[in-house]
Amino acid sequence: MKPDINQSLMILAQELIQRFSPLLHEEYEQSRLNSLAALIILGSINLDKEIANLSDHNKLIEKWLSKSLVQIHDSELKEELVKVLSSAEDSIAHSALDSRNQILKKSLVRVQAYFEDIKIEDALIESWEILRKIHNDSKINHLLPMMKE
């Protein structure tokens, strides 16, 4: 059975932090090794989960933007949103999903600013809930116990 690359990197980072770092006598060198191990941990985050999250985030933002079209009376903004929403990405590659995500987030921020100006509070609350979900999905708190000795 072939070892999973993400799991292998996590084990390597644990070994560096728990076994090798204590052998170093200089605090600076320990800190440096721990920082490198932390980068390995960040790099080992499961790519499948990241792709699923990006896909979910894109769908959430697209749904909110589509729903918001009804409340937008600025023809330029509305036209831009229709263009963004009609140009969906077919690829499931991480880079394509991430690129689409950046475009959607830019549109989300523009629509939020518009809703702030015209004071549509319920739509703003929905957008903040989407942003909260995106933020929570990107946290690495579940990896922090590994950093402890």
Side-chain angles (χ1 to χ4, degrees), residues 9-10 13 17 36-45 143 146-147:
L9 289 171
M10 294 288 255
I17 292 168
L36 290 172
L39 288 174
I40 291 171
I41 290 172
L42 289 173
S44 72
I45 293 174
L143 300 174
M146 293 183 59
M147 301 296 289

Side-chain angles (χ1 to χ4, degrees), residues 16 20-36:
L16 289 173
F20 294 104
S21 184
L23 298 175
L24 297 174
H25 300 293
E26 292 181 37
E27 189 175 316
Y28 171 76
E29 293 299 327
Q30 280 184 339
S31 173
R32 196 166 153 221
L33 184 63
N34 289 343
S35 295
L36 290 172

Side-chain angles (χ1 to χ4, degrees), residues 104-122:
L104 290 170
K105 283 180 182 174
K106 182 179 176 183
S107 296
L108 181 135
V109 169
R110 288 211 52 214
V111 174
Q112 278 181 317
Y114 175 79
F115 285 157
E116 284 176 5
D117 287 344
I118 63 171
K119 302 192 182 351
I120 300 183
E121 198 170 306
D122 57 330

Side-chain angles (χ1 to χ4, degrees), residues 19-149:
R19 296 182 131 211
F20 294 104
S21 184
L23 298 175
L24 297 174
H25 300 293
E26 292 181 37
E27 189 175 316
Y28 171 76
E29 293 299 327
Q30 280 184 339
S31 173
R32 196 166 153 221
L33 184 63
N34 289 343
S35 295
L36 290 172
L39 288 174
I40 291 171
I41 290 172
L42 289 173
S44 72
I45 293 174
N46 191 334
L47 191 57
D48 289 339
K49 182 180 177 203
E50 176 63 16
I51 289 172
N53 281 344
L54 275 173
S55 180
D56 289 347
H57 298 165
N58 290 353
K59 288 175 187 171
L60 277 173
I61 297 171
E62 287 170 347
K63 183 178 175 184
W64 182 79
L65 290 174
S66 294
K67 180 180 172 184
S68 299
L69 278 172
V70 178
Q71 298 172 301
I72 296 173
H73 304 294
D74 178 320
S75 60
E76 184 181 317
L77 179 58
K78 198 170 202 167
E79 186 178 313
E80 179 187 323
L81 283 180
V82 169
K83 184 178 176 183
V84 166
L85 291 169
S86 65
S87 65
E89 182 62 52
D90 292 336
S91 174
I92 59 168
H94 183 271
S95 59
L97 288 171
D98 187 51
S99 177
R100 175 80 175 151
N101 188 261
Q102 297 307 310
I103 292 167
L104 290 170
K105 283 180 182 174
K106 182 179 176 183
S107 296
L108 181 135
V109 169
R110 288 211 52 214
V111 174
Q112 278 181 317
Y114 175 79
F115 285 157
E116 284 176 5
D117 287 344
I118 63 171
K119 302 192 182 351
I120 300 183
E121 198 170 306
D122 57 330
L124 285 170
I125 291 170
E126 285 180 40
S127 71
W128 296 331
E129 288 170 357
I130 291 169
L131 292 174
R132 184 177 299 117
K133 177 173 179 18
I134 292 170
H135 176 72
N136 284 335
D137 288 346
S138 66
K139 287 182 179 179
I140 60 163
N141 292 346
H142 60 285
L143 300 174
L144 295 179
M146 293 183 59
M147 301 296 289
K148 295 181 182 175
E149 294 181 328

